[in-house]
Amino acid sequence: MSTQSLSTEAVIGLDLGTSGVKAVLLTAAGELVAEAGAPLEVSRPQPLWSEQAPADWWQAIDAALLRLRESAGPHWSQVRALAVAGQMHGAVLLDAAGGVLRPAILWNDGRSQAECDELEAREPATRRITANRAMAGFTAPKLLWVAKHEPDVFARTAKVLLPKDWLVWRLCGQMSTDTSDAAGTLWLDVARRQWSEAMLAACGMRVQQMPALHEGPEPVGTLRDEWASRWELPRGVQVAAGAGDNAAGAIGVGVVRPGQALLSLGTSGVIFTPVAEPLAAPERGVHTFCHALPGVWHQMAVMLNAASALAWWSRITGAEPASLLAELPDASAREAAPLFLPYLSGERTPHADPGATATFLGLTAAHDRPAMSYAVIEGVAHVFADGLAALQAAGSRPERLLAIGGGARSPAWLQLIADTLQLPVDQPAGAEVGPALGAARLALLALGHPFEAVVQPPRIACSYMPDAQRVPACQRRLQRFRAAWAPLRALS
């Protein structure tokens, strides 16, 4: 293929999030031509449960691609590859004919806490093999729960796919996954980047029930002709293996080398830093996973409640999140605001406690909605501080953070995080694109484009430096937040 034809190629990046699907069109020159999205809803039929119907993901993908086509112009006919990033840890159970056996159990589902202890008892080497402690959000405990509570479904399960991999199968007919997403199942030997027969056996499962393993940029198939026709795409579009959402987000902002770090302020919250080898720190609730690039791993501190906490408060108040962020109290009034422990869906790092609950602390009749809105976003900053402390104890030393995700559009929130974590926070231009951009970059790599040309650091729109005048007050409130955890948890 000529250099000229390579330079005119375009790719699609898709991101299957919890609250919606995003789609972007990226040229080989790195120009973001168009983006589109479609919303998703989460079903919570019982306390601690969190589910979605895979058919809803497909409808959202279809809607997003049709909208993307409308704004893509002539670049649409130049699309040569696509890749999907997606929410991690979810379990899509398929029968022998590929039928979905039950709604997908999502990453923020907490029903399988008892099965975590059972899994580690069945396989005492769990933490050594997987580089992680068993947590209810991961995929393997979900299957133990299904085996115990829905034995007929478990008996009929022929394949288990992660959410984005179910979409890849629909797109190209191949049951595949990538190592970054597979590392979050607790079925992967993370150091060897291979399925672990011992971990599967501990769940009563076999390697044959797993999809084929690939590295993120590897092509796994071509887009089915029926979808190419529906979306008016060229025939032969390659489909890459893709990545878990956090690894894809990191690739989207060029965080691929040790010492770099990103902060994802989406539905969940993540601090993500690459490492050159699989250094495990499971006792601190730190996740150690494969990156979506060969020979690279990463550590993550994961908080289940980030922008979702502000979305919850928005529903309670009936005010849009942007309105709540616009009415925050001034700096002089913030130290008198209540505290908020934002554990609306349990917590991972550092507590590994799906039963943790949220609390407003120190409310008085003098507090108003702006003060409580501040408490909500500050509570999220506090859980990020806990996550950073866990990473630092595990040996990571990020010097600054790149912020991505929906919450990264808020200057007030990013400044508060910088003050609380005492680290500079950079806001990349186009931060809202997130994992979809990383998926698009993986698609370019699948076409053979050079790594250094594809995985470029972003242009920084704004940097938020810790404010020396605010840091002491932020630290006082952080210490009160940390001191409140144990006694309040004992009462919940």
Side-chain angles (χ1 to χ4, degrees):
M1 183 177 290
S2 70
T3 302
Q4 182 177 6
S5 62
L6 277 172
S7 66
T8 62
E9 288 179 332
V11 294
I12 293 170
L14 298 168
D15 173 29
L16 171 61
T18 313
S19 58
V21 163
K22 294 187 180 73
V24 301
L25 187 71
L26 185 71
T27 69
E31 178 188 1
L32 188 65
V33 174
E35 54 185 288
L40 288 167
E41 298 292 334
V42 174
S43 171
R44 295 187 177 275
Q46 295 190 39
L48 299 181
W49 289 29
S50 181
E51 299 182 342
Q52 285 177 328
D56 293 343
W57 302 337
W58 186 255
Q59 291 178 2
I61 287 285
D62 182 54
L65 285 172
L66 291 173
R67 291 168 188 160
L68 190 69
R69 185 186 69 192
E70 292 174 1
S71 53
H75 296 283
W76 196 249
S77 64
Q78 300 299 317
V79 171
R80 298 292 180 264
L82 66 83
V84 187
Q87 48 170 296
M88 296 177 66
H89 314 304
V92 184
L93 309 186
L94 304 180
D95 63 20
V100 175
L101 290 168
R102 68 171 328 281
I105 307 175
L106 302 189
W107 59 273
N108 56 353
D109 187 289
R111 76 184 75 177
S112 59
Q113 181 61 26
E115 284 72 25
C116 293
D117 296 336
E118 182 178 346
L119 178 59
E120 294 205 11
R122 289 187 182 189
E123 179 46 78
T126 292
R127 298 186 183 188
R128 178 183 59 79
I129 295 169
T130 70
N132 293 278
R133 65 191 294 176
M135 296 186 184
F138 290 172
T139 319
K142 295 176 172 63
L143 268 292
L144 284 179
W145 184 93
V146 172
K148 187 181 300 182
H149 298 277
E150 299 175 357
D152 292 343
V153 170
F154 185 81
R156 295 172 59 198
T157 299
K159 286 284 184 181
V160 181
L161 296 182
L162 293 158
K164 70 106 168 53
D165 300 322
W166 184 82
L167 290 175
V168 169
W169 173 58
R170 289 293 307 272
L171 288 165
C172 71
Q174 299 298 317
M175 291 189 178
S176 64
T177 192
D178 81 290
T179 54
S180 74
D181 215 357
T185 62
L186 290 182
W187 291 320
L188 194 75
D189 184 323
V190 169
R192 298 175 62 206
R193 303 171 89 97
Q194 297 177 4
W195 294 121
S196 166
E197 293 187 6
M199 292 307 303
L200 286 163
C203 297
M205 301 181 67
R206 310 175 310 281
V207 172
Q208 290 75 14
Q209 292 171 288
M210 296 293 102
L213 271 171
H214 298 266
E215 297 293 346
E218 291 182 16
V220 298
T222 57
L223 184 66
R224 288 178 168 178
D225 287 349
E226 60 185 301
W227 308 131
S229 296
R230 174 167 177 77
W231 299 320
E232 299 180 8
L233 285 166
R235 294 291 192 271
V237 170
Q238 291 191 44
V239 179
D245 51 3
N246 293 303
I251 289 171
V253 292
V255 176
V256 295
R257 295 180 177 86
Q260 298 177 310
L262 70 79
L263 181 145
S264 176
L265 188 48
T267 301
S268 61
V270 174
I271 301 176
F272 176 115
T273 184
V275 290
E277 54 185 319
L279 301 172
E283 70 284 352
R284 303 185 186 278
V286 170
H287 300 340
T288 302
F289 293 153
C290 304
H291 207 329
L293 300 168
V296 185
W297 289 261
H298 66 86
Q299 290 183 325
M300 289 195 303
V302 179
M303 286 63 72
L304 295 181
N305 308 273
S308 56
L310 183 61
W312 165 81
W313 183 236
S314 172
R315 292 194 301 273
I316 295 296
T317 60
E320 291 297 318
S323 299
L324 297 171
L325 291 168
E327 67 180 20
L328 297 175
D330 61 31
S332 63
R334 292 179 179 181
E335 199 163 359
L339 289 174
F340 182 61
L341 280 67
Y343 306 123
L344 295 160
S345 302
E347 193 51 284
R348 283 203 196 167
T349 312
H351 301 302
D353 186 354
T357 57
T359 306
F360 278 108
L361 181 65
L363 279 174
T364 73
H367 289 130
D368 54 11
R369 190 175 77 180
M372 296 177 74
S373 298
Y374 176 76
V376 169
I377 69 165
E378 183 194 47
V380 174
H382 287 157
V383 299
F384 275 120
D386 281 350
L388 177 64
L391 286 171
Q392 290 171 334
S396 292
R397 294 289 186 270
E399 296 180 357
R400 57 194 310 127
L401 302 167
L402 279 166
I404 66 171
R409 293 192 291 267
S410 168
W413 210 344
L414 294 187
Q415 183 62 58
L416 177 59
I417 290 170
D419 295 340
T420 303
L421 275 61
Q422 301 184 69
L423 281 180
V425 177
D426 297 322
Q427 182 184 47
E432 72 282 352
V433 175
L437 177 59
R441 287 180 165 185
L442 288 173
L444 285 174
L445 293 175
L447 291 174
H449 290 269
F451 177 85
E452 295 298 335
V454 171
V455 186
Q456 292 284 334
R459 180 175 63 84
I460 301 302
C462 188
S463 293
Y464 299 87
M465 307 302 294
D467 186 328
Q469 293 184 335
R470 296 178 184 174
V471 165
C474 288
Q475 291 304 300
R476 286 193 294 270
R477 290 178 62 81
L478 175 59
Q479 294 310 313
R480 288 180 58 209
F481 172 87
R482 287 172 169 167
W485 160 258
L488 290 176
R489 183 65 183 98
L491 293 171
S492 63

